Amino acid sequence: MSLWTSLEPASVTVDPGSRATVRLRVRNTGDVVDEYRFEPVGAVAPWTVVEPQTLRLFPGTTGTVELTFTPPRTPDAAAGPNPYAVRITPTEHPEAVTVPEGNLTITPFTEVRAELVPPTVKGRFKGRPRLAIDNIGNTKLTASLSGSDNGDRLSYELQPANVQIEPGRAVFVNTTLRPRQIIWFGSKEEQRYSLAVRRSGAQALEVEGTFVQRGFLPRWLATALSLTLALAIAFVMIWLAYKPRVVTSANEKLAEAGVSTLAPSPSAEPSAPALVPTPTAPAVVEAPAVTPTPQSGGGGDGGGSESKAPAKPKQETAADAVNKLAARSDGRHICYRAYIEDKGWQDPVCDGAIAGTTGKNLAIKALNIATARTGGVTGNAAHVDGGWLTGDKWSKATDGVNMWMGSSKPAVAVMEGFTIKTLEGSVCQNAHVKDRGWLGNGCTKAADWIYGGSPMEQKLQLEAVRFTV
């Protein structure tokens, strides 16, 4: 071998978001002038810069290059030791490749983001918001959850009450709010509350929301019931106080017949009693007999249809998910799912959750998106080695209807990016691209469009997406 190398130092520590520098000394131990090319390799190669990239040395001379490491402050920069290497290729003897190795230790950092979806819920007996927790640090997050409000007017049920979240992942916590006192009559009342994400040795992260408690019966109905009850009581009292006079014509009829109502004297002869006609009993009319009609579908010798095997359950789409979410909560929503290469369609997720995969080298081929209360959504897909699949023709759909972009056909290349917009309000997106990680959150102006993914000239596959409205 005609080359000697030395890393100074061989091990270095760096904080995410900052930089560290290592010197690589190279000596030409051969007997000819040679030029050496330097190329970083390994997991930290995307964050490594070598200057200069080539070095020309005379026999017996020594040169120096600098390796600069700039790991990003994202979950992709995993905490702990990360080996790195530099491939050195001599021009005169390209087969004599040298690969000196070192160790880069990335310090851990913790960063948590939490959001209530939706921030305002309404109900008479309970409300059901969801707490979205994102771990955007580079270490596993362990936290407990709790709720509180002024006056202790609400009770809280959180499932799960404790979470463990891997770097770059998110979880949704289902929360049930129940008022301790029910408003039977009257208008609605607003109650501010907060949900806290508590970590050991760190200050709790609190997210505030509003629970609008509705009355069980509206005020006008209470007034109507009170008025009806007062009228009923007044009617009963008037009925009891009024005593109608009953007048009989029996005495007049007896006088006309010559019969006295007084007792007869002893000397008087008893007169023949007057004949009083016997009233005729009213005729009883019997109701006609009803012959029972036999019910259909009963037993007997009739033939029935044969049972069939149950149909395979239909896979839930983005429209199914957003319509369910819109039915139980107010506000704007967006649900979406991804078609993963060689894996198929994932289950839909909503409002900022991750669709797709990270760190698995699996590409997205198609997206299924649906919105609620945005006036509709429209978009288009860009494919690696294919450009815009449908040209200037965008896919579009109204609220609650599926919008599709991309293609799951084997002959169509995977996606490298997309454009999207909603007809009302803005939409935000974040794209995860191969070898680049998350590119950062970007939002549209009202009714405008935005592009997500890698620059089209780089031809890097799209691996995961997040959307919010």
Side-chain angles (χ1 to χ4, degrees):
M1 180 178 295
S2 61
L3 181 64
W4 171 87
T5 61
S6 175
L7 286 170
E8 299 177 355
S11 297
V12 66
T13 300
V14 63
D15 296 327
S18 61
R19 62 176 57 200
T21 303
V22 173
R23 289 185 178 182
L24 174 60
R25 297 179 63 194
V26 181
R27 175 178 293 178
N28 183 358
T29 58
D31 53 3
V32 296
V33 177
D34 207 343
E35 185 177 63
Y36 304 95
R37 286 181 288 110
F38 303 90
E39 179 185 3
V41 293
V44 300
W47 317 321
T48 307
V49 177
V50 181
E51 293 181 347
Q53 296 181 350
T54 61
L55 191 64
R56 186 177 181 84
L57 297 176
F58 287 91
T61 60
T62 302
T64 302
V65 297
E66 286 191 350
L67 309 178
T68 303
F69 305 99
T70 56
R73 190 176 176 84
T74 65
D76 297 323
N82 293 269
Y84 69 90
V86 180
R87 181 187 294 118
I88 305 175
T89 305
T91 303
E92 296 297 330
H93 304 282
E95 73 283 354
V97 175
T98 303
V99 185
E101 297 180 354
N103 187 66
L104 176 68
T105 300
I106 300 177
T107 59
F109 77 95
T110 302
E111 190 168 347
V112 184
R113 183 173 59 190
E115 181 182 5
L116 273 172
V117 184
T120 301
V121 292
K122 300 177 181 179
R124 292 180 174 85
F125 304 107
K126 60 184 175 181
R128 290 182 174 177
R130 302 180 74 197
L131 178 64
I133 307 175
D134 289 296
N135 181 8
I136 53 180
N138 64 351
T139 58
K140 180 186 290 188
L141 170 68
T142 301
S144 61
L145 309 173
S146 62
S148 62
D149 60 273
N150 292 331
D152 194 25
R153 298 173 60 184
L154 301 175
S155 64
Y156 304 86
E157 180 182 344
L158 298 98
Q159 293 184 352
N162 298 279
V163 294
Q164 285 189 343
I165 312 174
E166 296 294 333
R169 305 296 294 178
V171 298
F172 280 88
V173 178
N174 295 320
T175 305
T176 302
L177 310 175
R178 287 188 173 88
R180 300 187 185 277
Q181 293 184 351
I182 298 175
I183 302 176
W184 294 105
F185 298 98
S187 59
K188 60 186 179 182
E189 294 183 3
E190 291 188 359
Q191 175 62 41
R192 301 285 296 177
Y193 69 95
S194 64
L195 299 181
V197 181
R198 304 183 184 278
R199 297 167 290 152
S200 177
Q203 185 175 1
L205 174 63
E206 294 189 354
V207 183
E208 293 188 350
T210 303
F211 174 61
V212 180
Q213 184 181 0
R214 296 169 173 169
F216 183 72
L217 295 175
R219 189 179 298 275
W220 66 266
L221 183 57
T223 303
L225 290 176
S226 300
L227 182 60
T228 302
L229 181 61
L231 291 175
I233 295 174
F235 177 78
V236 171
M237 294 186 67
I238 293 175
W239 175 263
L240 294 177
Y242 176 71
K243 296 181 179 179
R245 181 184 177 186
V246 180
V247 178
T248 178
S249 60
N251 293 334
E252 296 177 359
K253 294 295 182 181
L254 291 175
E256 291 178 1
V259 179
S260 175
T261 59
L262 299 176
S265 61
S267 60
E269 295 183 357
S271 60
L275 297 177
V276 179
T278 304
T280 304
V284 178
V285 181
E286 296 183 355
V290 179
T291 303
T293 303
Q295 298 295 325
S296 62
D301 296 333
S305 60
E306 296 181 356
S307 62
K308 298 181 179 179
K312 183 178 180 180
K314 181 181 177 182
Q315 187 176 15
E316 187 178 28
T317 66
D320 298 331
V322 82
N323 288 328
K324 291 180 181 178
L325 183 58
R328 66 174 183 263
S329 63
D330 297 333
R332 292 154 44 91
H333 300 287
I334 181 169
C335 294
Y336 43 94
R337 60 175 181 155
Y339 187 95
I340 307 301
E341 185 180 21
D342 299 330
K343 299 294 183 181
W345 285 106
Q346 295 181 322
D347 293 332
V349 296
C350 304
D351 296 335
I354 296 176
T357 61
T358 58
K360 297 183 179 180
N361 198 25
L362 296 176
I364 292 177
K365 295 200 65 175
L367 291 173
N368 169 211
I369 305 173
T371 58
R373 305 183 183 98
T374 69
V377 62
T378 179
N380 202 352
H383 294 258
V384 174
D385 299 332
W388 299 102
L389 183 64
T390 59
D392 295 334
K393 184 179 178 182
W394 286 33
S395 301
K396 61 179 62 179
T398 58
D399 281 339
V401 179
N402 286 310
M403 188 270 283
W404 311 85
M405 64 169 69
S407 175
S408 60
K409 296 181 179 179
V412 180
V414 300
M415 290 178 60
E416 65 175 349
F418 56 85
T419 52
I420 189 172
K421 73 173 181 178
T422 53
L423 302 186
E424 298 176 5
S426 64
V427 58
C428 298
Q429 60 80 30
N430 194 352
H432 188 284
V433 177
K434 180 182 179 181
D435 298 333
R436 293 293 184 269
W438 291 104
L439 302 182
N441 200 49
C443 302
T444 66
K445 297 181 180 178
D448 200 359
W449 64 270
I450 189 170
Y451 176 80
S454 69
M456 298 183 66
E457 66 273 6
Q458 295 184 4
K459 305 296 183 182
L460 297 178
Q461 66 186 22
L462 181 67
E463 295 184 343
V465 293
R466 289 179 174 176
F467 294 109
T468 55
V469 292

